[in-house]
Amino acid sequence: MLQKKAVTALVLLSVLGPVQAGEKEELLKLRSTTESLIKQLVKQGILTEETAETMFKEAEAEAGKIASQARTAAALSNAASVGEPDDEEVRVSYIPDFIKDQIRDEIRAELREDVTGDVISKAKEEGWGLADALPEWTRKFKLSGDLRLRYEPVFYADENASGLSIFPFYPNGQAINQMDGARNAGLDLIENTTTNNQRFRQRFRLGIDADIAEGLKAGIRLSTGNFRDPVSTNQTMGQTGDRYDFNIDRAYLQYDDVDSFGFNWLSLMGGRIKNPFFVGGGEFTSGSELVWDTDLSFEGFAATYRYNLGLSNGLGDGARVLYATGGAFPLQEAPFSHNDKWLFGGQVGLDWGFKNKDNLRMALAYYDFKNITARPNTSTASGTCDVNSRENTASMPEFMQGGNTLATICRDGAFNDPLPSEFPGMVGLASEFKIVNFTARYDMALFDPIHLTLSGDYAKNIGFDSEKVAAARVLGGALGSGAVDEQTTAWQLRADLGWLRVDKKGNWSTFVAYKRVERDAVVDAFSDSDFHLGGTNAKGWILGANYGLLNNVWLTSRWLTAEAITGPPYGIDIFQIDINTKF
């Protein structure tokens, strides 16, 4: 149809016969416009040169045919004019000029509308628009991102203990390891317990998803943040003009298979992936960071199998699904050693939807950390770090937030020092971690779209051995105290009220939570990085609210107040105000 209309436009000048000068000029413009359109379509690859050439030839042939028909019609008209008219026939010997002009205008307008309409229709059908004028492979990519600005003042309780007396209880293990020993750590040897501070921070994340084949996609996400910190993508402002780090936070392949009913029964992921385990929700939407911080990405492989208990495709109200997730994640590769650090995790869960839009989700998980405990240097009497074996050094954690009981891997100083140092030169985890974790959430839609969501999270480290920890412990309790109390339980209760999504204008939600994380309940490196400034051995409250300022723009405020469970007084209050955007 498009080619037919274009050909019609091209022959217009030939078929109308003698016309006035102004009419001929306008028809020439129409023909020129049509020819230019065809040439542009050839240039963009929408039409081939052969097709365009055919259209021009058809126009010439059609013009000759119509001109011949016009001449025949004119002859017949002249012959008929000498005959007698029928009784019902009316002959007009004179047509006023204004009638001729009106007829010509109507023909030109109708032709323009037909040609233009067909071109637009064809463009929509075949995707000629500017957004789709790029090569087909570009349509397989999806771009997304978010930007957050934060103001965060931190206040330390007036009654907090301070000085070197708190060193055994609140050591800065990360500083000891990074600075090659306790003596080199200097003022950073212990955590700050007294000096208030305030900071402005921001987070920027940019993600790209690419469809590779049916069900298979590749994903990558870049983010700001400290290269060595796996649980925070925040960038603190005040870097004297230095550029921010912008690193690969995720890079993975994901395969999703669906059955004939559209139910996603299998998901496979590999690479640097998002957390594959259910934790109750997001950071500000009924989620728990008891075991895993929301910013943590997992390196390794995970698979999720789902069994549909309902009649639907597992989506919408009334969806009922059983699922099982398993994964293997290398934590730290140790060269020249067979003691690489690994995490093996598994989770089984239930997602039960009700017809009234209520929803219940619960899951039971088990996380087994391999080879993450400290391996003390006992090869020489001095036990100093300069005579470490590769096994000793590889047992040092690459990252710690604080809270877990620590053991000495090696001592400060050199093997030939006259007096051996009692200060640690390198520290590691004293306990093994085998964590049982139960998470549940009930979402009540009594006032839909306002929801009330109640959630709970419980974790227990069943790998803790008090005798082994007491024998290895150097930091994380009073020195020389002998037996170590079992501090291996963590739990959280939380309530959320409001819209499930707060990225729409006018939507809001509020939440309150109480959390208690004992010293060796979870691995402090991967737990919440905000509560008590990160780590374990803390209990307290979290209060917050969200409000949608505009679509895709919302305001979040949180107050986190926490204190240490064991050890001298150590309380921290944190207030956060965030402006969040996404695209």
Side-chain angles (χ1 to χ4, degrees):
M1 178 63 73
L2 173 62
Q3 293 185 10
K4 183 177 179 181
K5 293 298 183 180
V7 170
T8 303
L10 288 172
V11 304
L12 178 63
L13 183 59
S14 302
V15 302
L16 288 180
V19 294
Q20 298 178 1
E23 296 169 351
K24 184 173 183 178
E25 180 181 353
E26 188 168 352
L27 292 174
L28 286 172
K29 290 181 179 179
L30 177 59
R31 176 170 180 168
S32 176
T33 301
T34 306
E35 290 179 346
S36 297
L37 173 61
I38 294 174
K39 291 177 181 178
Q40 285 296 322
L41 297 180
V42 172
K43 186 176 180 181
Q44 296 183 15
I46 298 171
L47 293 178
T48 64
E49 292 184 2
E50 291 77 7
T51 302
E53 185 67 23
T54 301
M55 293 174 65
F56 288 125
K57 289 181 180 180
E58 288 179 359
E60 293 175 0
E62 187 73 13
K65 181 179 178 181
I66 295 176
S68 177
Q69 293 175 351
R71 287 192 295 270
T72 302
L76 293 174
S77 177
N78 291 333
S81 64
V82 300
E84 293 296 330
D86 296 335
D87 294 339
E88 297 180 358
E89 183 179 353
V90 178
R91 292 179 178 174
V92 180
S93 59
Y94 172 75
I95 300 177
D97 289 340
F98 75 91
I99 296 294
K100 295 179 181 178
D101 293 340
Q102 182 178 354
I103 293 173
R104 292 190 184 99
D105 291 342
E106 290 177 354
I107 292 174
R108 286 195 294 266
E110 182 179 353
L111 182 60
R112 287 196 190 95
E113 291 176 0
D114 287 345
V115 173
T116 303
D118 281 347
V119 170
I120 294 175
S121 176
K122 193 70 173 178
K124 290 181 179 179
E125 178 183 345
E126 298 186 358
W128 298 354
L130 180 61
D132 294 322
L134 298 174
E136 182 181 355
W137 63 267
T138 61
R139 305 177 195 176
K140 298 181 179 181
F141 289 84
K142 179 183 178 182
L143 183 69
S144 62
D146 62 82
L147 176 65
R148 180 178 72 192
L149 302 178
R150 169 176 289 178
Y151 170 61
E152 183 181 76
V154 179
F155 305 100
Y156 294 89
D158 294 336
E159 61 272 18
N160 284 357
S162 61
L164 287 177
S165 63
I166 68 171
F167 171 61
F169 301 95
Y170 311 124
N172 189 338
Q174 187 73 358
I176 294 173
N177 289 342
Q178 286 184 342
M179 298 181 182
D180 298 325
R183 288 186 293 188
N184 291 335
L187 296 177
D188 293 327
L189 178 64
I190 57 177
E191 299 286 356
N192 174 29
T193 60
T194 58
T195 305
N196 298 337
N197 69 299
Q198 57 181 341
R199 53 188 177 181
F200 291 90
R201 317 185 83 185
Q202 73 175 52
R203 180 186 73 184
F204 176 61
R205 300 184 297 192
L206 182 65
I208 302 174
D209 290 334
D211 293 327
I212 298 175
E214 184 177 357
L216 179 65
K217 73 174 183 178
I220 184 172
R221 189 175 78 176
L222 305 175
S223 71
T224 52
N226 188 323
F227 183 77
R228 299 182 61 88
D229 187 344
V231 292
S232 177
T233 51
N234 290 315
Q235 174 66 58
T236 301
M237 300 184 190
Q239 305 299 316
T240 319
D242 289 347
R243 294 179 176 86
Y244 294 163
D245 291 332
F246 200 52
N247 308 298
I248 296 178
D249 182 40
R250 290 179 187 166
Y252 61 91
L253 289 175
Q254 179 173 333
Y255 176 75
D256 294 292
D257 195 19
V258 297
D259 60 19
S260 58
F261 298 99
F263 176 68
N264 180 202
W265 69 276
L266 178 66
S267 295
L268 305 174
M269 293 186 290
R272 187 173 175 89
I273 64 178
K274 67 179 181 180
N275 186 350
F277 303 109
F278 172 65
V279 295
E283 182 179 13
F284 304 131
T285 54
S286 71
S288 170
E289 297 181 275
L290 200 69
V291 181
W292 311 114
D293 187 276
T294 54
D295 285 327
L296 180 67
S297 294
F298 285 62
E299 291 179 292
F301 305 90
T304 298
Y305 170 79
R306 304 175 186 88
Y307 181 76
N308 191 1
L309 299 173
L311 299 177
S312 69
N313 60 358
L315 301 174
D317 301 333
R320 297 173 181 179
V321 178
L322 280 173
Y323 63 90
T325 299
F329 312 97
L331 299 177
Q332 184 177 332
E333 196 273 333
F336 308 103
S337 172
H338 62 278
N339 291 317
D340 293 346
K341 299 178 182 180
W342 282 81
L343 163 65
F344 297 95
Q347 185 181 65
V348 292
L350 172 68
D351 188 350
W352 192 275
F354 299 89
K355 294 299 182 182
N356 63 354
K357 296 185 179 182
D358 283 9
N359 178 263
L360 172 66
R361 289 196 67 178
M362 59 179 63
L364 179 65
Y366 177 70
Y367 307 114
D368 188 3
F369 292 83
K370 298 291 188 182
N371 300 321
I372 67 169
T373 56
R375 295 178 178 270
N377 181 350
T378 58
S379 61
T380 64
S382 66
T384 52
C385 296
D386 58 342
V387 291
N388 269 1
S389 68
R390 288 193 175 99
E391 299 285 345
N392 301 140
T393 302
S395 69
M396 181 189 75
E398 291 189 333
F399 180 76
M400 293 184 290
Q401 294 192 94
N404 290 156
T405 302
L406 300 180
T408 297
I409 297 175
C410 56
R411 298 178 181 177
D412 254 344
F415 75 97
N416 56 358
D417 287 345
L419 293 175
S421 173
E422 295 298 325
F423 284 95
M426 188 180 293
V427 294
L429 300 178
S431 173
E432 293 185 358
F433 286 86
K434 301 178 186 295
I435 302 171
V436 177
N437 179 215
F438 178 75
T439 307
R441 182 191 71 189
Y442 189 81
D443 175 22
M444 292 180 284
L446 297 176
F447 310 103
D448 189 58
I450 304 299
H451 287 239
L452 173 62
T453 304
L454 304 176
S455 60
D457 201 10
Y458 175 85
K460 174 73 175 179
N461 177 18
I462 62 175
F464 185 88
D465 186 316
S466 59
E467 292 185 1
K468 291 182 179 179
V469 172
R473 183 186 69 173
V474 63
L475 299 172
L479 294 177
S481 60
V484 176
D485 292 336
E486 185 173 315
Q487 297 284 322
T488 58
T489 300
W491 56 272
Q492 173 182 292
L493 295 176
R494 174 169 174 153
D496 292 68
L497 178 66
W499 269 260
L500 296 180
R501 292 185 56 181
V502 294
D503 56 353
K504 301 296 182 183
K505 183 178 180 180
N507 287 9
W508 58 268
S509 69
T510 61
F511 54 90
V512 58
Y514 183 83
K515 177 188 293 190
R516 178 185 173 94
V517 188
E518 294 179 351
R519 184 178 290 279
D520 292 306
V522 299
V523 179
D524 66 35
F526 305 131
S527 187
D528 190 347
S529 62
D530 293 316
F531 189 70
H532 206 246
L533 289 181
T536 63
N537 190 31
K539 61 181 180 179
W541 293 87
I542 303 173
L543 302 174
N546 301 287
Y547 182 75
L549 300 175
L550 301 167
N551 287 342
N552 298 321
V553 181
W554 68 99
L555 181 69
T556 299
S557 63
R558 287 203 303 173
W559 175 55
L560 305 93
T561 178
E563 60 182 354
I565 297 174
T566 63
Y570 184 19
I572 305 175
D573 284 357
I574 303 171
F575 187 60
Q576 296 174 337
I577 301 178
D578 300 339
I579 296 178
N580 307 275
T581 64
K582 73 173 187 177
F583 56 89

